């Protein structure tokens, strides 16, 4: 592939991405480094990475073309990536049930997509998240509504603290299995742009986090749901945030009448 006529600052990375099978050539068989990336293209790049590297990725049922109003605009070679990432909530619809496959991906869009991927990719292959015995997460009953809730996180350890972000997954139970609730929109006030914020749950303490899913999921309908959050375990009061002693996921189930 003709990546560049001579060595540039991106040559090594572009060569690696192409040879690894994550990115393809442009229509003219060149890398087209200065061209913007579209939503369907970033979906293909990320999906290529997932299927080659991520054995722990939690897959749900792919989205269906008939549920996307502009599905005819999605390139045939991008359909698998788009439908799987929509189904697993790494990417969302833009509104009016359109995916916008040819819309340009901004830096903000990219940050949201990869933060969602990072959160979901930590799921174990099992549906049982609550095997960690040193913590618990519940829903504060009086806070629960169709648009949000407050989760209560408990740390039973005496010498370790838990760290989590504001990111979460919302799932709904159907015939004994759990499936991701489809996102309807990613927006700047959805909370997903702040997933890099860290919250600590100190030894033998309780922490509360208010979660509003209205802008991402809308007002959810009646059904049995759960919130899933990812945690890491660190030494209490340690300034070394690179050392992770353990990691786990917790879920908190709730019913919307």
């Amino acid at each position: 592939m003709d990546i560049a006529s001579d060595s540039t600052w991106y040559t090594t990375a572009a060569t690696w991405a192409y040879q690894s099978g994550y990115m393809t050539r442009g229509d003219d068989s060149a890398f087209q480094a200065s061209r913007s990336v579209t939503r369907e293209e970033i979906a293909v790049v990320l999906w290529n990475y997932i299927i080659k590297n991520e054995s722990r990725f939690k897959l749900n049922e792919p989205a269906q073309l008939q549920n996307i109003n502009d599905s005819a605009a999605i390139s045939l070679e991008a359909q698998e990536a788009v439908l799987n990432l929509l189904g697993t909530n790494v990417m969302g619809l833009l509104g009016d049930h359109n995916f916008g496959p040819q819309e340009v991906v901004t830096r903000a869009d990219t940050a949201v997509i990869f933060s969602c991927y990072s959160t979901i990719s930590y799921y174990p292959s099992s549906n049982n998240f609550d095997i960690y015995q040193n913590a618990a997460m519940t829903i504060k009953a009086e806070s629960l509504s169709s648009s949000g809730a407050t989760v209560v996180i408990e740390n039973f350890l005496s010498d370790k603290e838990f760290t989590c972000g504001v990111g979460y997954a919302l799932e709904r139970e159907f015939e004994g299995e759990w499936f991701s609730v489809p996102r309807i929109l990613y927006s700047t006030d959805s909370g997903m742009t702040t997933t890099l914020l860290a919250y600590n749950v100190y030894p033998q303490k309780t922490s509360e986090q208010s979660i509003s899913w209205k802008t991402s999921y809308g007002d959810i309908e009646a059904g049995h749901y759960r919130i899933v959050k990812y945690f890491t375990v660190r030494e209490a009061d340690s300034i070394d945030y690179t050392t992770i002693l353990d990691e786990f996921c917790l879920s908190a189930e709730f019913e919307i009448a």
Side-chain angles (χ1 to χ4, degrees), residues 1-25 29-33 52:
M1 180 180 69
D2 178 20
I3 289 179
S5 57
D6 53 13
S7 180
T8 67
W9 59 271
Y10 63 82
T11 298
T12 300
T15 302
W16 167 82
Y18 172 71
Q19 292 180 347
S20 300
Y22 306 142
M23 300 187 75
T24 59
R25 292 178 285 190
S29 297
F31 185 67
Q32 299 180 341
K52 288 179 179 291

Side-chain angles (χ1 to χ4, degrees), residues 105-221:
V105 177
T106 65
R107 285 168 56 85
D109 293 331
T110 304
V112 170
I113 291 168
F114 278 86
S115 67
C116 292
Y117 162 67
S118 177
T119 301
I120 297 177
S121 67
Y122 276 116
Y123 281 16
S125 57
S126 169
N127 263 352
N128 180 15
F129 296 108
D130 303 307
I131 59 176
Y132 194 75
Q133 301 300 312
N134 298 311
M137 185 170 73
T138 57
I139 296 291
K140 197 171 185 177
E142 61 269 28
S143 72
L144 180 62
S145 73
S146 61
S147 60
T150 296
V151 295
V152 180
I153 305 159
E154 298 179 83
N155 180 354
F156 302 134
L157 295 175
S158 61
D159 60 345
K160 305 292 190 302
E161 66 183 41
F162 305 147
T163 301
C164 65
V166 299
Y168 65 92
L170 187 62
E171 301 187 341
R172 184 177 183 181
E173 186 268 338
F174 180 72
E175 295 184 351
E177 295 290 335
W178 292 98
F179 297 92
S180 294
V181 177
R183 292 184 183 278
I184 60 171
L185 181 67
Y186 289 122
S187 65
T188 55
D189 56 351
S190 68
M192 294 308 297
T193 56
T194 56
T195 53
L196 296 182
L197 289 176
Y199 291 86
N200 294 330
V201 188
Y202 295 103
Q204 297 187 325
K205 297 292 184 179
T206 297
S207 176
E208 295 185 1
Q209 286 187 24
S210 294
I211 297 175
S212 174
W213 51 70
K214 185 177 179 64
T215 52
S216 289
Y217 296 99
D219 288 320
I220 58 176
E221 59 187 21

Side-chain angles (χ1 to χ4, degrees), residues 39 86 89-94 98-99 183-186:
R39 279 173 55 82
L86 283 174
N89 281 341
V90 172
M91 297 186 73
L93 298 177
L94 297 177
N98 290 316
F99 178 72
R183 292 184 183 278
I184 60 171
L185 181 67
Y186 289 122

Side-chain angles (χ1 to χ4, degrees), residues 69-83:
N69 286 343
D70 60 350
S71 60
I74 302 173
S75 302
L76 181 62
E77 59 271 20
Q79 287 182 5
E80 179 186 6
V82 169
L83 294 179

